[in-house]
Amino acid sequence: VLRSVGYRGVPLPGLPFDAATGTVPHTGGRVLREGAVSPGEYVAGWIKRGPTGVIGTNRPCAKETVASLLADAGELLRATGPGETDPLEVLRRLGEDPVEWAGWHGIEEAEAALGRGLSRSTVKIPDWEGLLEAAHGQGQGHGHAR
């Protein structure tokens, strides 16, 4: 996970980079190394498409990448070695509470409800507490829009 600040992607050690576009070469969000898909490596956002679009542009960009990851999931699981475990279980063992697909839908529903209250399509929930409440089915109507 990387923080994104600025208007042009910069290379990271060990990751392919196209200096002309300021992006990581990819197809559908799958990182390309020397023109071939690199299994298990994915990009989204500006490092994927360049500094274009608005906040709303990130959602379809990320959905494309996630669709690629989900399409690859079976092969990625077969590629894990002995002793490797489910990433969600690793996060839980570290004391984290990852938001799964149903929770993501809860966030989308809560943001849509906030938007309807303001005659807009959606209003982003701006804080972690509000996002987690929405993910766990407690966020609708709590007025987290700012």
Side-chain angles (χ1 to χ4, degrees):
V1 176
L2 302 171
R3 186 176 72 143
S4 173
V5 176
Y7 293 98
R8 182 159 179 82
V10 294
L12 291 171
L15 191 64
F17 186 74
D18 181 337
T21 62
T23 62
V24 171
H26 72 92
T27 181
R30 293 175 179 99
V31 171
L32 296 175
R33 292 182 179 275
E34 299 178 17
V37 170
S38 180
E41 294 186 303
Y42 301 87
V43 290
W46 281 10
I47 201 64
K48 175 182 173 187
R49 66 178 190 277
T52 61
V54 294
I55 289 173
T57 310
N58 289 320
R59 187 166 287 187
C61 173
K63 281 183 178 182
E64 177 187 52
T65 298
V66 169
S68 294
L69 191 148
L70 290 173
D72 299 348
E75 187 60 35
L76 294 172
L77 287 173
R78 283 188 288 281
T80 61
E84 294 187 28
T85 188
D86 177 1
L88 290 175
E89 291 307 315
V90 171
L91 288 170
R92 288 185 181 107
R93 196 168 45 248
L94 293 171
E96 299 296 332
D97 183 21
V99 172
E100 296 188 46
W101 189 241
W104 185 83
H105 278 288
I107 292 169
E108 274 200 327
E109 290 168 15
E111 290 177 341
L114 289 170
R116 282 190 299 275
L118 297 171
S119 299
R120 294 173 51 187
S121 60
T122 61
V123 171
K124 300 303 293 176
I125 298 171
D127 58 87
W128 285 114
E129 179 184 343
L131 288 167
L132 292 173
E133 285 178 7
H136 298 299
Q138 305 160 0
Q140 292 192 23
H142 281 82
H144 291 290
R146 291 187 189 146

